[in-house]
Amino acid sequence: MSSFVIPVWFEVGSLVILSVILILDLLLVIKRPHVPSPKESSLWVAFYVTLALIFGGLMFVVVGPQAGGEFIAGWLTEYSLSIDNLFVFVLIMSQFAVPRRMQQRVLMIGIILALLFRGIFILLGAALIENFSWIFYIFGAFLLITAVQQALSGREDDEARENALIRFLRKRIAIADDFHDMKMRVTVDGRRLWTPLIIVLIAIGTTDVIFALDSIPAIFGITQSPFIVFTANVFALMGLRQLYFLLGHLVDKLEYLKYGIAFILAFIGVKLVFHAMHENELPFINGGQPIEWAPDISTWTSLIVIIAAMLVAVVASLVKLRLSKRYIPTALLRAEIDDEVDAVADQAARTPSDSAAKEGNS
């Protein structure tokens, strides 16, 4: 785990620069709301990924290889979880039919909420780790359970949860039928109503909390530095808005992505349990003594496993998507041919009887 000191000037300078970038991004959305083109989205995503890699390189140079490795591994883990988060955003936008012109601003609010919730959980997680070393047992068990749920749950489970939330809210508050730009309260026929935007923001905020609960224990399994945890989360979330417009509903087609994420969460969960055993202080486990045989998995091993899991999941999903696109037209063509053959056969079967009927009439 972390055994380095990050210079204060580097921490302060990094946080100031990241704040400026986020503010500029927010102002861009407010002043020029639009649906970005695929080219524009690609350039922004490439910019944020490059920025994260540059920051990781600076961590290597300024702080050391271990800090740089922990940041890259943490950023990749959070990025993979953010992509899964992205699917839920796509689901929310489509379920509520959020107008395309509003989606940039709604996503920006979602990202700000995500940063806020993750910042709170990071402070809580750091305080727990500082005072209770056994918390790694709980974090590890939590991630293992989450990994199983991730692997076994389907997209239909996410849809069922969203539909349940919609029904719950509609029964309790008066909601207008249509959006009124970014207004949350409007007057319709003399009645004060909430707009569907309030439900969208509640759904996105709830999603942010759930993903924060998953992501914070996961990254604390890679590094104990609150600074690295926070910056990795910021870099993972900054390009999420542009990635939404770049990938769109393609995220739903990455069928094996959830298995890759589940594997990463399970791996980090096992790593956390091993670390807790290695540093054990609980009196009812091994008499309160560290368990020497428990391995302490290195940052570089974690980085390799995370990259390999994501590559395998994404490549396998794209291969299956490509094969399915080839198969569907072929299947449709065969179905059309079969229909034509059946039609000809039916016509041929009717023709003799029709001829016989004509002869009988004559």
Side-chain angles (χ1 to χ4, degrees):
M1 292 287 180
S2 308
S3 59
F4 49 78
V5 177
I6 302 174
V8 175
W9 65 265
F10 184 80
E11 290 187 350
V12 173
S14 300
L15 294 176
V16 169
I17 292 171
L18 287 176
S19 299
V20 170
I21 293 172
L22 284 171
I23 291 170
L24 290 175
D25 199 10
L26 178 60
L27 290 174
L28 184 66
V29 172
I30 294 172
K31 289 187 173 294
R32 199 167 67 91
H34 67 291
V35 179
S37 65
K39 182 180 179 181
E40 180 185 346
S41 299
S42 301
L43 291 173
W44 276 108
V45 170
F47 168 73
Y48 283 122
V49 169
T50 304
L51 203 62
L53 294 175
I54 290 172
F55 184 81
L58 289 174
M59 291 286 289
F60 269 91
V61 174
V62 175
V63 187
Q66 184 182 352
E70 287 184 6
F71 170 78
I72 295 296
W75 169 64
L76 287 173
T77 300
E78 294 301 314
Y79 206 74
S80 63
L81 289 169
S82 294
I83 292 174
D84 200 40
N85 196 349
L86 191 65
F87 168 79
V88 183
F89 284 168
V90 170
L91 176 65
I92 291 170
M93 297 292 185
S94 61
Q95 277 218 331
F96 294 103
V98 179
R100 294 280 287 178
R101 69 180 185 279
M102 291 174 53
Q103 290 182 9
Q104 276 222 72
R105 284 176 286 178
V106 172
L107 284 170
M108 198 67 197
I109 294 171
I111 291 168
I112 291 170
L113 288 174
L115 284 172
L116 177 64
F117 291 132
R118 293 188 188 199
I120 293 170
F121 283 118
I122 287 166
L123 292 175
L124 290 174
L128 288 172
I129 290 169
E130 183 70 24
N131 295 285
F132 310 103
S133 61
W134 47 263
I135 198 69
F136 284 113
Y137 282 116
I138 297 176
F139 281 179
F142 177 77
L143 288 181
L144 289 171
I145 293 169
T146 304
V148 173
Q149 291 176 338
Q150 174 78 15
L152 297 181
S153 66
R155 298 308 191 191
E156 61 277 4
D157 297 324
D158 292 319
E159 293 184 28
R161 282 191 288 270
E162 296 304 327
N163 287 329
L165 176 65
I166 296 168
R167 289 194 299 270
F168 175 82
L169 291 173
R170 285 195 180 277
K171 285 179 181 178
R172 283 157 179 80
I173 58 176
I175 302 173
D177 294 328
D178 302 315
F179 285 90
H180 294 260
D181 199 40
M182 293 299 291
K183 294 178 181 177
M184 285 193 289
R185 293 279 280 174
V186 291
T187 302
V188 179
D189 296 331
R191 293 179 62 206
R192 291 291 288 170
L193 303 175
W194 294 95
T195 69
L197 180 62
I198 186 66
I199 304 183
V200 172
L201 294 180
I202 290 173
I204 286 178
T206 305
T207 299
D208 286 334
V209 171
I210 292 169
F211 277 93
L213 285 171
D214 292 343
S215 66
I216 299 307
I219 194 170
F220 269 118
I222 294 169
T223 179
Q224 290 183 35
S225 167
F227 174 75
I228 292 179
V229 172
F230 183 72
T231 51
N233 271 276
V234 171
F235 278 107
L237 290 169
M238 277 200 305
L240 196 61
R241 178 170 55 83
Q242 290 82 5
L243 195 63
Y244 171 89
F245 290 101
L246 178 63
L247 295 181
H249 293 278
L250 178 62
V251 177
D252 189 28
K253 304 295 188 292
L254 299 177
E255 187 173 338
Y256 299 119
L257 180 64
K258 68 174 186 176
Y259 298 112
I261 294 172
F263 181 82
I264 292 170
L265 291 175
F267 169 78
I268 298 175
V270 171
K271 179 183 177 181
L272 281 172
V273 172
F274 280 155
H275 177 73
M277 294 167 65
H278 193 71
E279 304 289 333
N280 179 61
E281 294 177 355
L282 293 178
F284 53 86
I285 298 178
N286 199 36
Q289 298 299 312
I291 301 172
E292 299 295 337
W293 60 263
D296 205 3
I297 301 171
S298 70
T299 301
W300 298 107
T301 302
S302 301
L303 183 57
I304 291 169
V305 170
I306 292 166
I307 292 174
M310 289 308 298
L311 279 176
V312 170
V314 171
V315 170
S317 299
L318 293 176
V319 168
K320 181 170 184 181
L321 181 61
R322 190 167 188 177
L323 290 175
S324 65
K325 283 183 176 179
R326 284 183 182 177
Y327 171 76
I328 290 172
T330 305
L332 289 174
L333 180 60
R334 287 176 179 171
E336 288 177 2
I337 293 172
D338 290 341
D339 289 342
E340 288 183 8
V341 169
D342 291 340
V344 171
D346 290 342
Q347 183 66 29
R350 284 195 300 269
T351 301
S353 59
D354 292 345
S355 301
K358 287 179 181 177
E359 289 175 3
N361 290 334
S362 62

